[in-house]
Amino acid sequence: MSVLCYNKSCGQRFDPDKNSEDACTYHPGVPVFHDALKGWSCCDRRTTDFSDFLSIAGCTEGRHSNVKPPDPVKPEVKTSPELIAKFNEKATQKRKPVEAIKRPSPDAPMVKLEQKVSPALKKVLEKLDLTVHNGPENKDTKEIKIGTTCKNAGCNKTFLDTSSNEEICVHHSGVPIFHEGMKFWSCCKKKTSDFNSFLAQPGCTQSKHVWNKAHKGNKFIPCRHDWHQTGGQITITIYSKNSIPEQSYVEANSTVLNIHILFERDQKFEQRLNLWGVIDVSKSQMSMTSAKIEITMKKAEPVLWARLDLPPPEPPKEAELQESSDEN
């Protein structure tokens, strides 16, 4: 009658009457699994494949054994009635709901947020300031040099003589926009993914050439911006290069945000937001770098905002307007 051998890595059936000292080849050690390598503690062979591990031949010869190894002893877990009572009490305890904060008035006084300026932005602004002050002075600003390029966007015409002033300038009156791999002008919105095609787009506006770009005050620019949120704060990112800290600020109360940014010397970005939620103004700030501005606002309550600002109020319906006119 054959019986099963319980030696590790053997698993053969044998006849107890024909069991000899070299009948079984097995592993006397234990399996070792470490850093994705598998092997036996009694020999040095290692492998990363589990099938190869199972097929590793034994390293020791001896007699077959029909004695089943004892099951591993599980550690005893001690519990006490006090611990069980505490666990049941916490499990049945209901979590208190977070009380909603009453929305403050949007007419509350505005406070300017703390402003942090990066050293890189300070260096860039110092270089730009030196360029302006150390550049060549042109006392006669009305004089136009031959070969001067038209300053209108999208126009590559150059000044030849006084007849150039009579030419029609075809240019773009808007600003370039780069978004999600597409490039276009805000005035005509002919989108393309190729930069050379974008530069070659003909203008959509006709006017006179501008040879000397005189300072005409700050221009309002629809600057690209984005926002994201975490559990405790809202971050607005405004992609304005070389912003001027002395003339840029963000002021806010608990529900309203006013953004005023001056960048690239004469470009201005302004926006007023009626925030979707409530913020803690004292723990909010704005950080300025050479490439962007980040406005970090601390949430007054840890809730997820559905959007950054409140939607504009809906106009009155025609039926309501008619009823009001009938009453009058």
Side-chain angles (χ1 to χ4, degrees):
M1 180 181 177
S2 63
V3 293
L4 181 65
C5 177
Y6 284 102
N7 286 337
K8 296 168 185 174
S9 192
C10 178
Q12 298 180 4
R13 303 189 75 86
F14 67 96
D15 187 351
D17 298 332
K18 298 179 181 180
N19 193 9
S20 62
E21 295 296 333
D22 58 352
C24 180
T25 304
Y26 65 98
H27 290 289
V30 294
V32 177
F33 301 93
H34 181 66
D35 288 342
L37 294 175
K38 306 165 184 66
W40 294 89
S41 62
C42 50
C43 53
D44 297 331
R45 184 176 173 186
R46 295 291 184 268
T47 180
T48 57
D49 185 73
F50 191 74
S51 300
D52 292 343
F53 162 73
L54 294 177
S55 61
I56 295 176
C59 59
T60 304
E61 291 184 350
R63 298 174 64 86
H64 289 294
S65 174
N66 62 346
V67 180
K68 188 175 181 180
D71 294 332
V73 180
K74 295 182 179 179
E76 185 180 355
V77 180
K78 295 182 179 180
T79 57
S80 63
E82 292 81 5
L83 290 175
I84 295 175
K86 285 184 180 180
F87 175 79
N88 292 336
E89 183 182 352
K90 289 183 178 180
T92 55
Q93 215 172 34
K94 291 184 178 179
R95 186 177 178 182
K96 294 182 180 179
V98 179
E99 295 183 2
I101 297 176
K102 185 178 179 181
R103 188 174 179 86
S105 170
D107 299 325
M110 307 292 284
V111 179
K112 286 189 177 181
L113 302 188
E114 179 187 359
Q115 188 182 88
K116 292 186 177 181
V117 183
S118 69
L121 176 58
K122 292 180 180 178
K123 289 182 180 179
V124 171
L125 293 177
E126 287 175 2
K127 290 180 180 178
L128 291 176
D129 189 54
L130 288 173
T131 303
V132 172
H133 288 86
N134 297 337
E137 295 184 1
N138 186 8
K139 296 181 179 179
D140 189 7
T141 56
K142 294 183 180 180
E143 182 182 354
I144 304 172
K145 295 181 179 180
I146 296 175
T148 302
T149 306
C150 178
K151 300 300 186 293
N152 288 332
C155 179
N156 298 319
K157 298 289 185 179
T158 56
F159 180 80
L160 301 177
D161 50 34
T162 54
S163 63
S164 299
N165 295 326
E166 306 300 325
E167 295 178 356
I168 296 175
C169 176
V170 181
H171 64 280
H172 293 286
S173 58
V175 294
I177 297 177
F178 303 91
H179 182 63
E180 294 182 353
M182 303 303 291
K183 305 162 185 67
F184 58 96
W185 293 89
S186 62
C187 49
C188 52
K189 297 183 179 180
K190 295 178 181 178
K191 298 183 179 181
T192 178
S193 59
D194 183 68
F195 189 73
N196 293 326
S197 300
F198 164 74
L199 295 177
Q201 284 185 4
C204 58
T205 305
Q206 293 185 356
S207 63
K208 294 291 184 179
H209 289 296
V210 176
W211 306 115
N212 292 324
K213 197 170 184 179
H215 182 73
K216 298 179 181 179
N218 298 326
K219 297 182 294 184
F220 287 91
I221 301 295
C223 193
R224 185 167 71 92
H225 57 280
D226 200 357
W227 75 285
H228 66 275
Q229 65 177 311
T230 60
Q233 67 182 25
I234 298 288
T235 302
I236 302 175
T237 304
I238 303 170
Y239 299 96
S240 57
K241 290 185 177 180
N242 304 330
S243 302
I244 303 175
E246 294 78 9
Q247 301 182 44
S248 301
Y249 61 87
V250 176
E251 56 183 8
N253 57 29
S254 299
T255 57
V256 178
L257 190 74
N258 278 339
I259 303 172
H260 177 96
I261 297 172
L262 188 69
F263 62 103
E264 296 287 8
R265 293 182 180 157
D266 62 345
Q267 298 183 9
K268 184 187 291 186
F269 172 75
E270 288 186 348
Q271 192 166 26
R272 178 183 175 89
L273 297 173
N274 291 316
L275 300 174
W276 190 89
V278 182
I279 64 170
D280 186 349
V281 180
S282 62
K283 298 180 180 178
S284 303
Q285 65 180 18
M286 64 178 295
S287 302
M288 306 180 69
T289 67
S290 58
K292 62 184 179 180
I293 290 178
E294 284 191 346
I295 305 169
T296 305
M297 300 176 290
K298 175 71 175 177
K299 292 181 180 178
E301 50 184 346
V303 296
L304 188 68
W305 289 22
R307 51 185 292 167
L308 178 60
D309 56 343
L310 292 174
E314 295 183 359
K317 298 179 180 178
E318 294 182 1
E320 295 177 356
L321 291 174
Q322 187 173 359
E323 288 179 4
S324 61
S325 61
D326 292 342
E327 290 176 358
N328 295 332

